[in-house]
Amino acid sequence: MALHTAGPARARAGKKVVVVERGRDEGWPSFGTELRRRREREELSLRDLAARVPYSFSFLSKLERGKNAPTPEAADLLESVLPSELGDQPLTELAVQHIQGSQGLRLAHPAQLPPAVADFVGHTEELRRLDAAAAHRTPGSVRVVLVEGPPGVGKTELVLRWAHTAADEFPDGQLFVNLRGWGLAARRDPSEVLEEFLRALGVPSAVISDGVDRRASLFRSLLTGQRVLIVLDNAADAEQVLPLLPGSPGCMVVVSSRRWLGGVVSRTGATRVQLEPLTATDAVDMLSTVAGPARVDEERHTAHELGARCSHLPLALRSLSARIAARPHHSLVELAEELDSDEALLEALSSYDDDNPGIREALSWSYDQLPDDAARLFRLLGLVPGEVSVHAAAALAHWSVPMTRHVMQRLVHENLLVESTKDRYLLSGLMRVFAAEHVRADAPAQEADTALRRWLEWYVHSSLAAAAMLAPQHPLPTLDSPATEVASLVCAPQDYRAGLRWCDREVQHLIAAIGCAQARGLTATAWTLAVVWGPYLSLTKGWSIRITANTRGLAAARAGQDKVGEGWCQHELGSALAQLRRFDEALEYLTEAMRLRVEVGDQLGFAWSRCAVAATMLDMGRYGDAREEFERTLEIFQLGEHTFGSAVTLAWLGSASYRLGHLQDAVDKLSRAREQFIELGDRAGEAFALVRLGDVYRAMGEHERALEHLDRGVALRRDLADQWGIADALFVWGQVLHEGGDVAGARSAWRQALEGFDALGDPHAADVRARLTTVEATFA
C-alpha cells in the first residue's frame, strides 16, 4: 500500500489529506461505482460535476475508476451535490470502508471512563433501568439513555458507576466527555468533541475534516457495526448532544443533564431516568462511609436530621461528611447546633475550590443561566415552604395563571422545581434556602414583602371559600373583597369534595401563613386565617394545628386590640380543647369568648360559645347543667330566627335528654333537629342526628330501628369523608350488635372504630379499647 497526498484535493481544500491508492474492491459496492450511478441518475457529465465541486475532471474520473481512494471530506462534498435516495449507501460510509480496509485504518479501543466514586450508595432502581436499556436493542437505532436530575443529585456518579460495571458489554471501547453544560469553564463545542473522539478511535488528524457535520458523519460511519459506550456528561442542550450520537444499534449513549433535553428524546426515543435524591437510609449510609460508621451509628437520629437538611443530595452529603470527618472530637449534635440556621448550613456546604464545587456553587450555575422571569419566580418560591400551587405562585409573582404555569414548567425542565401533582410544585429544602437567599441578594427591597402580602390575601380568601363549601351553615368571619390582582386567582371549590381536596393540600401552609401575617403586622389576616380553618380542622380532628393556629391568632388579635378576633380565637381554642377532654381549660376559653362577644355586641357569636359550653358540660357528665344551657341558647337562636343554630342546639338538647334518661323526649328533639338539617341541606348535621337517634333507639331496645338510622348515618359520614364520625357510628353499631347477641359482629365494628379513633389520636379510642378488652375476655 502506498500513502501519498492527493494533489487536487490538497490544493483546493488547503490541507493535507491521506488517501489510499488501490484497485476496485469486490463483494460490496465501491465508492466509484456508487458515485457514477448517482451522477448518471442526475444526468450530469464528469465535467458538469467538476463545475459544482472543488475537484478536477481528472480527479473525479480516477475516483469513479478506483484509481484514487476517496477521503471523507470529498465524500461529504459529493454527497451534498448528489443527494442519496432511499436504498442508497452513503458515500461517506463507503469512503470510511476504504479507510478501514485490510490495508487501511484499524480502529483503536479507547477506555476513557474516569474512576467511579468510592462512596456511592443507593439508586438501585435507576441502575436497573440502565441495565434494562443496555439489554434492549432496536434495529437501525442507537440506544440512548438520558439521566436527568437537579444539581448535586449525583448524576455523574451514577452514570460512571453503571458504566464501569457495563464496560465489558462494549468491547470496542468507551468514550467519555464532560460537556461542561454548567460550571465556570466554557461549554464544549460538539465539533471539538468529535475531533477528540475520532482521534481516540485512531483516526489520523489528516483524515479528520473541518466542520461538525462532516466530523459527525465520519464518526457515525466509523462506529457502524461497533459496540462502543459513549458517556456525554453534564450536557446543556440537545444541540450539544445530537451531533455526538452514533447510528449503530450496537452502540449505547448515556447522557447526563440538569435539564430536560426534549430534543434528544423526540429525535432518539431516549429512555429517561429521572434521578431523585437519596432515601433517608441511603443518605445516612453515605455519611457513614466518609465520616465513619461508629460516630454515625451512635447518633443515628441526628444523622437522619442532618441528611434531611441536606435534602438527601449526595453533593451536600459529601461536603457534610468531610466536615464531620475533619472534626473527630465534636459530636453530631454539636455540629448540628453550629448549623442551626439555613444560612449557616448553606455556607458550610459551599466550597472555595473551583475543581470541587459545593452545593451553593452547583445551584448558582443553574440559577445564573435562567432567564429573568424564571429567576424571579424561583426566588419568590423560596419564600413559601412546602408545595405551592400554580395559583399561589401566580399571586406571588402577580402574573396570570397560564404565564405562571409556563415559567414553572421551565423550572421543572431545569430540574430546579418538582411537579409533585398536577399544577402543584415543590422546591426542595436546600433549593428553597438558596432561592430565599437570592430574594435578599438580587431582588428589589420591597419585592419579597409585596409578594408575600399578595400570597396571604390569596390564601385567606381561598381558605374562606373552601370553608364555606365544607360547612355552608357554619358561622365564619367576613372579609373585605380581595384586591384586583388577587381576585381572579382565588380558588373557589365547586363542590364539597373539591373543597376538601383543596384543604388537604393547603393546610400545610397554615401556620407559616399566620406567622407571615404576624410578622407584617397584618393582625386581622392572622386571626382570620386561624378561625376559617375551623370547619376543616374540626372535621379531620387536626387538634394540634387548630390549637397552634388559634393560639397565634389570639396573640395577633390582642396585638391589634381586636376584641372580635379575640372572641373568635377563644371560642376555637375552647372547642378544640373540649374534644381532647381538657374540659377545665376548654371552659375557661369558652367563658372568656362569651364575655368578649357580649362586650362587642355579638349576640349570635355569644350563642355559639354558650352552645359549646353546654356541649362541654354534657361531655363532663353535668347533664342537668348542660340541658339548662342548651335551652337558654335555643331561645337566643329562635329569637334571632337562626334556623341552623336552632337545629344544632336542638340536636344537643336531644343528646342531653338521652343522658338524663328521657328517651322519648330525646327521640322527639333529635327527629325535629334532623328535619331542620334536611331542610337546610346540612348533611353533617343530619348524620349527627341519625347516629344519636340510633343510640337512643338502642337504649329503647329497638335494635332494628337503631341499625336503620346508623346505616344512613354511616353512609352520610362516608360521603363527607368524616373519619371521626364513621368511627363514632361504628362504636354505637357495635353496642347494638352486642346487645342483640352478635358478639363477633360487635367485635368487628369496635375494632374498626378503634382503628379510626387511633388514626386520629382521639381520646374515644380508650373507651372502645376498654369495651373490646371486656368483651374479648368474656368471649375467651
Side-chain angles (χ1 to χ4, degrees):
M1 179 183 73
L3 292 180
H4 65 88
T5 302
R10 180 183 58 184
R12 290 170 175 78
K15 65 179 288 186
K16 183 178 181 181
V17 180
V18 177
V19 298
V20 181
E21 186 178 77
R22 47 182 271 184
R24 225 182 262 271
D25 289 291
E26 301 295 335
W28 47 272
S30 71
F31 183 91
T33 301
E34 178 66 11
L35 176 60
R36 179 183 297 111
R37 190 180 69 80
R38 291 199 196 184
R39 177 175 61 78
E40 291 175 349
R41 183 174 65 196
E42 297 294 324
E43 298 181 353
L44 296 174
S45 67
L46 276 172
R47 295 193 184 280
D48 292 335
L49 181 58
R52 299 188 181 191
V53 294
Y55 300 111
S56 66
F57 170 89
S58 174
F59 180 77
L60 293 173
S61 176
K62 289 180 180 179
L63 277 181
E64 286 193 356
R65 289 182 289 117
K67 298 298 183 181
N68 278 348
T71 66
E73 182 181 38
D76 201 48
L77 280 170
L78 291 166
E79 187 83 57
S80 65
V81 175
L82 304 172
S84 62
E85 296 181 359
L86 186 65
D88 289 350
Q89 188 164 3
L91 293 175
T92 304
E93 186 174 311
L94 290 170
V96 171
Q97 288 173 352
H98 274 285
I99 297 172
Q100 289 182 277
S102 59
Q103 294 180 321
L105 172 70
R106 291 188 179 277
L107 290 181
H109 294 174
Q112 294 187 335
L113 295 177
V117 295
D119 60 353
F120 184 89
V121 297
H123 292 315
T124 55
E125 174 59 24
E126 290 83 357
L127 291 169
R128 187 198 63 77
R129 291 193 63 193
L130 282 162
D131 285 338
H136 179 73
R137 295 191 187 186
T138 301
S141 64
V142 66
R143 292 164 288 173
V144 180
V145 179
L146 175 59
V147 178
E148 306 169 42
V153 80
K155 298 178 291 296
T156 300
E157 291 81 357
L158 172 85
V159 169
L160 288 177
R161 177 73 168 211
W162 178 84
H164 278 284
T165 61
D168 290 345
E169 299 297 319
F170 301 94
D172 295 317
Q174 305 89 42
L175 295 167
F176 176 90
V177 64
N178 178 3
L179 292 173
R180 299 200 298 246
W182 285 266
L184 297 176
R187 65 177 59 182
R188 298 300 308 277
D189 179 82
S191 181
E192 295 175 358
V193 174
L194 282 167
E195 181 177 9
E196 291 177 8
F197 280 177
L198 290 169
R199 287 180 176 178
L201 290 167
V203 178
S205 299
V207 178
I208 300 174
S209 305
D210 289 330
V212 64
D213 291 338
R214 295 173 183 175
R215 290 176 177 180
S217 178
L218 176 58
F219 182 62
R220 290 192 296 271
S221 298
L222 286 172
L223 292 187
T224 300
Q226 301 292 305
R227 291 168 61 190
V228 174
L229 174 64
I230 302 163
V231 176
L232 307 177
D233 186 40
N234 201 15
D237 49 40
E239 289 70 23
Q240 204 179 21
V241 170
L242 291 174
L244 307 179
L245 302 182
S248 173
C251 294
M252 181 170 176
V253 182
V254 181
V255 184
S256 75
S257 180
R258 300 182 180 190
R259 181 179 290 153
W260 178 62
L261 305 183
V264 174
V265 176
S266 63
R267 289 281 297 275
T268 68
T271 299
R272 294 180 64 192
V273 176
Q274 180 69 37
L275 197 58
E276 304 292 343
L278 295 172
T279 64
T281 300
D282 288 338
V284 172
D285 287 346
M286 177 173 280
L287 289 175
S288 298
T289 301
V290 178
R295 293 180 68 190
V296 171
D297 288 343
E298 287 176 4
E299 300 179 83
R300 202 160 187 85
H301 177 72
T302 303
H304 273 283
E305 289 181 351
L306 288 169
R309 293 194 63 203
C310 288
S311 300
H312 300 145
L313 292 171
L315 178 59
L317 290 165
R318 286 191 179 92
S319 297
L320 181 62
S321 299
R323 186 181 183 90
I324 294 171
R327 306 178 74 178
H329 302 299
H330 290 72
S331 68
L332 295 190
V333 171
E334 291 170 334
L335 290 170
E337 289 173 350
E338 292 180 8
L339 307 176
D340 59 344
S341 70
D342 290 335
E343 293 75 11
L345 178 66
L346 196 58
E347 183 64 27
L349 301 181
S350 300
S351 170
Y352 300 99
D353 180 357
D354 292 345
D355 295 327
N356 295 287
I359 193 68
R360 175 186 272 137
E361 291 73 30
L363 292 172
S364 293
W365 294 338
S366 288
Y367 173 75
D368 291 343
Q369 290 193 22
L370 292 174
D372 290 344
D373 56 358
R376 176 174 178 264
L377 184 59
F378 178 75
R379 292 193 301 268
L380 294 178
L381 290 175
L383 299 172
V384 184
E387 280 188 342
V388 179
S389 70
V390 68
H391 288 81
L396 275 169
H398 192 195
W399 292 341
S400 68
V401 169
M403 178 179 177
T404 306
R405 183 183 290 114
H406 172 75
V407 177
M408 293 182 99
Q409 283 297 322
R410 171 65 185 264
L411 292 172
V412 169
H413 290 169
E414 297 288 337
N415 278 294
L416 292 174
L417 193 65
V418 174
E419 187 174 13
S420 46
T421 57
K422 183 179 181 295
D423 278 348
R424 294 191 67 80
Y425 301 84
L426 181 65
L427 200 64
S428 70
L430 281 176
M431 286 194 189
R432 184 186 60 78
V433 174
F434 177 84
E437 181 179 80
H438 278 271
V439 168
R440 296 185 293 272
D442 300 350
Q446 295 301 314
E447 182 178 38
D449 185 71
T450 303
L452 280 171
R453 286 174 182 267
R454 283 194 303 267
W455 174 70
L456 283 169
E457 189 169 14
W458 170 85
Y459 189 63
V460 70
H461 279 277
S462 297
S463 299
L464 183 63
M469 184 56 68
L470 292 183
Q473 308 297 336
H474 191 89
L476 292 169
T478 57
L479 290 173
D480 293 333
S481 299
T484 304
E485 61 265 29
V486 174
S488 63
L489 302 172
V490 171
C491 297
Q494 298 303 304
D495 54 38
Y496 179 90
R497 288 284 177 170
L500 191 59
R501 285 193 300 271
W502 189 91
C503 289
D504 285 341
R505 292 190 297 259
E506 295 294 340
V507 68
Q508 62 179 302
H509 296 303
L510 176 58
I511 303 303
I514 293 172
C516 181
Q518 285 179 288
R520 282 154 184 78
L522 304 174
T523 56
T525 299
W527 73 255
T528 303
L529 272 172
V531 170
V532 298
W533 278 86
Y536 172 79
L537 295 173
S538 178
L539 172 69
T540 58
K541 306 308 175 193
W543 293 293
S544 176
I545 298 177
R546 191 177 181 188
I547 290 171
T548 300
N550 282 281
T551 299
R552 296 188 178 187
L554 180 58
R558 285 172 174 166
Q561 298 181 342
D562 189 336
K563 292 188 182 297
V564 172
E566 283 191 64
W568 275 103
C569 293
Q570 294 272 11
H571 177 92
E572 286 292 311
L573 283 166
S575 299
L577 291 167
Q579 292 181 2
L580 289 171
R581 296 184 176 176
R582 293 162 60 178
F583 298 127
D584 291 340
E585 295 173 80
L587 286 177
E588 288 181 16
Y589 279 108
L590 291 169
T591 302
E592 179 62 10
M594 290 171 62
R595 186 193 69 77
L596 285 164
R597 286 175 158 179
V598 168
E599 185 177 340
V600 299
D602 182 4
Q603 186 74 353
L604 192 60
F606 169 79
W608 281 114
S609 295
R610 189 169 203 167
C611 186
V613 166
T616 304
M617 290 176 173
L618 187 65
D619 285 341
M620 294 172 72
R622 296 168 55 182
Y623 304 141
D625 293 340
R627 181 175 64 179
E628 290 180 9
E629 290 296 321
F630 281 133
E631 287 173 344
R632 292 169 183 166
T633 302
L634 183 60
E635 290 176 5
I636 299 173
F637 280 130
Q638 287 176 338
L639 284 171
E641 298 182 348
H642 195 280
T643 307
F644 177 66
S646 298
V648 170
T649 310
L650 198 57
W652 278 114
L653 261 173
S655 296
S657 294
Y658 162 67
R659 294 296 181 188
L660 289 166
H662 306 154
L663 300 185
Q664 188 55 53
D665 185 60
V667 169
D668 293 343
K669 286 183 169 57
L670 285 165
S671 297
R672 284 167 54 200
R674 182 193 171 201
E675 290 171 2
Q676 292 182 12
F677 284 130
I678 291 173
E679 289 177 8
L680 291 167
D682 190 280
R683 294 180 296 164
E686 183 188 358
F688 176 82
L690 281 166
V691 173
R692 299 283 72 82
L693 275 168
D695 201 10
V696 175
Y697 284 125
R698 174 200 61 78
M700 297 172 72
E702 299 185 36
H703 291 167
E704 290 298 323
R705 204 167 185 181
L707 290 175
E708 178 184 339
H709 282 74
L710 289 169
D711 185 56
R712 289 188 221 163
V714 169
L716 276 173
R717 283 176 164 175
R718 289 192 193 281
D719 192 46
L720 294 169
D722 182 359
Q723 299 305 316
W724 185 93
I726 294 168
D728 171 51
L730 288 171
F731 178 56
V732 179
W733 196 304
Q735 290 178 287
V736 176
L737 294 177
H738 185 257
E739 291 174 9
D742 185 358
V743 178
R747 291 169 67 197
S748 175
W750 283 336
R751 283 174 180 166
Q752 292 178 63
L754 179 61
E755 184 179 338
F757 285 136
D758 271 340
L760 295 168
D762 189 273
H764 286 81
D767 303 337
V768 185
R769 191 171 282 108
R771 287 291 183 100
L772 272 172
T773 301
T774 301
V775 170
E776 290 177 348
T778 304
F779 189 74

